[in-house]
Amino acid sequence: MEWIILPVVLLVLMTALVIFCFCKCFYARNNRIPDPYCNLHGEQYLAVKDKIFECTRKMDEQPYEPVYITSFDGLKLFGRYYHHADGAPLKIIFHGYRGLALRDASGGYTLAKALGYNVIAVDQRAHGKSQGHVITFGIRERRDVLSWIEYANSRFGEKTPILISGVSMGAATVIMAATLPLPKNVCAILADCPYSTPKDIIQKVAADEHFPPRLSYPFIRIAAKLLGGFDLEETSSLEGAKCSTVPILLLHGEDDRFVPWEMSQEIHEKSNGCTTLATFPNAGHGLSYMVAPREYEAACIGFLNSLPALQQEDTPV
């Protein structure tokens, strides 16, 4: 009987490990709305928390229209539409992993408002007021990007210039969306601290958490396939930048301790020439705008000025 017991024990342990990996990496209860003013952790965030909360508060105080769409797989997705000017370009913003639109998008919203753009700040699937319980690191979320673009075109018309923008996982998501047939009025992608591939960031975080990355990643990928129904290696930011027909601005803090800035550098170097890279010394993860607002604004405005559909005055905002 011992020869039976050992394989059974191993099978139980492996099953438990796969379930643990799924819950740790991908599962979201999504039964409450996080507080955008909750305490921040880490010295880099604490150093600029007043600026973060100020931007969040200004965005929170603005009137918005709740909008809903249905995803390709039947989920009800939520976004906040902020109207600033009739006929203006539209910026659609996607937040990061286990983040929330109201805080993650506040810097991008502030800049968009100053430029006169209308904004949709999206709650990604399995976050906030959007349905779903599985976070897929951009694999399914990139199709949601296309769904939001299609909603915008049906409402505002196909001649409205659209920018898709994101932070962290949201940044990777909008670059991955470039692997899909984007409508012609999508004129720019702005990606703030994206990761190169889901595999790369998962292995990096596993190492940070003192798990052996090469040993743990196969279990994580199996968990995604068996319990989440998706493949972590289906696509990546690298693939999006290689095939994009849309100009991409990569923005990254050089002191990013979560998603190393070298990941944006790799995306830039392996792209098809569609990318522009701007990095910011001393800025942590998703904090470039908070740490260096003038330099960040200049990088964005200079990029936008290079696009025929988005000519802007090169003045401080």
Side-chain angles (χ1 to χ4, degrees):
M1 293 294 293
E2 292 182 359
W3 65 273
I4 297 178
I5 294 175
L6 181 59
V8 170
V9 170
L10 290 175
L11 180 60
V12 170
L13 289 175
M14 292 178 67
T15 301
L17 182 57
V18 167
I19 294 173
F20 170 80
C21 290
F22 177 76
C23 293
K24 181 74 173 178
C25 299
F26 309 116
Y27 180 72
R29 293 176 62 186
N30 195 24
N31 59 358
R32 64 182 182 87
I33 307 301
D35 179 5
Y37 305 103
C38 66
N39 292 331
L40 298 170
H41 302 284
E43 59 177 328
Q44 291 182 310
Y45 292 94
L46 292 175
V48 292
K49 69 174 184 178
D50 291 341
K51 293 182 180 179
I52 294 173
F53 290 151
E54 180 184 2
C55 281
T56 302
R57 190 171 294 106
K58 286 181 178 179
M59 182 177 176
D60 197 10
E61 291 172 350
Q62 297 302 309
Y64 71 91
E65 175 191 344
V67 291
Y68 293 90
I69 66 168
T70 301
S71 70
F72 71 96
D73 52 353
L75 297 178
K76 189 177 183 180
L77 304 179
F78 171 79
R80 296 164 170 248
Y81 172 63
Y82 297 86
H83 183 82
H84 297 133
D86 292 343
L90 175 69
K91 185 176 185 180
I92 309 176
I93 307 176
F94 298 84
H95 63 75
Y97 176 77
R98 301 197 188 277
L100 62 162
L102 189 57
R103 189 162 71 195
D104 289 8
S106 61
Y109 167 83
T110 300
L111 181 56
K113 182 182 179 183
L115 294 172
Y117 296 170
N118 298 321
V119 172
I120 297 178
V122 171
D123 279 358
Q124 295 235 55
R125 61 172 54 222
H127 294 80
K129 295 182 180 180
S130 289
Q131 292 182 340
H133 293 287
V134 182
I135 304 168
T136 72
F137 282 70
I139 302 301
R140 288 180 180 159
E141 289 85 353
R142 68 192 169 114
R143 299 187 184 277
D144 297 337
V145 173
L146 186 57
S147 296
W148 280 108
I149 294 168
E150 290 170 348
Y151 162 81
N153 280 346
S154 68
R155 176 170 177 174
F156 304 110
E158 296 182 0
K159 293 184 178 180
T160 300
I162 292 177
L163 304 83
I164 52 176
S165 173
V167 177
S168 193
M169 187 186 81
T173 296
V174 293
I175 300 176
M176 290 184 204
T179 63
L180 304 173
L182 297 177
K184 293 182 179 180
N185 60 321
V186 178
C187 57
I189 296 172
L190 282 73
D192 189 327
C193 57
Y195 45 77
S196 49
T197 71
K199 177 180 179 180
D200 288 343
I201 191 59
I202 286 172
Q203 289 190 321
K204 189 271 179 185
V205 173
D208 290 345
E209 297 291 329
H210 307 292
F211 292 105
R214 292 186 179 181
L215 181 62
S216 58
Y217 177 73
F219 289 97
I220 294 171
R221 188 181 182 194
I222 289 170
K225 284 185 175 182
L226 293 183
L227 302 178
F230 70 98
D231 185 358
L232 280 166
E233 298 184 16
E234 180 178 328
T235 191
S236 67
S237 299
L238 294 177
E239 290 300 318
K242 286 178 182 177
C243 66
S244 180
T245 58
V246 179
I248 300 172
L249 175 61
L250 302 166
L251 304 143
H252 218 126
E254 294 179 13
D255 195 22
D256 193 326
R257 301 170 191 176
F258 186 70
V259 180
W261 77 271
E262 289 85 358
M263 289 195 178
S264 276
Q265 185 179 44
E266 182 182 8
I267 295 169
H268 178 57
E269 291 175 348
K270 294 184 178 179
S271 74
N272 63 6
C274 65
T275 58
T276 300
L277 175 63
T279 62
F280 305 90
N282 305 315
H285 185 63
L287 297 177
S288 296
Y289 183 73
M290 302 299 165
V291 171
R294 293 294 182 184
E295 293 82 357
Y296 193 97
E297 291 165 0
C300 290
I301 293 172
F303 172 75
L304 299 177
N305 277 343
S306 71
L307 307 177
L310 293 170
Q311 298 299 317
Q312 298 291 329
E313 294 294 330
D314 193 10
T315 55
V317 295

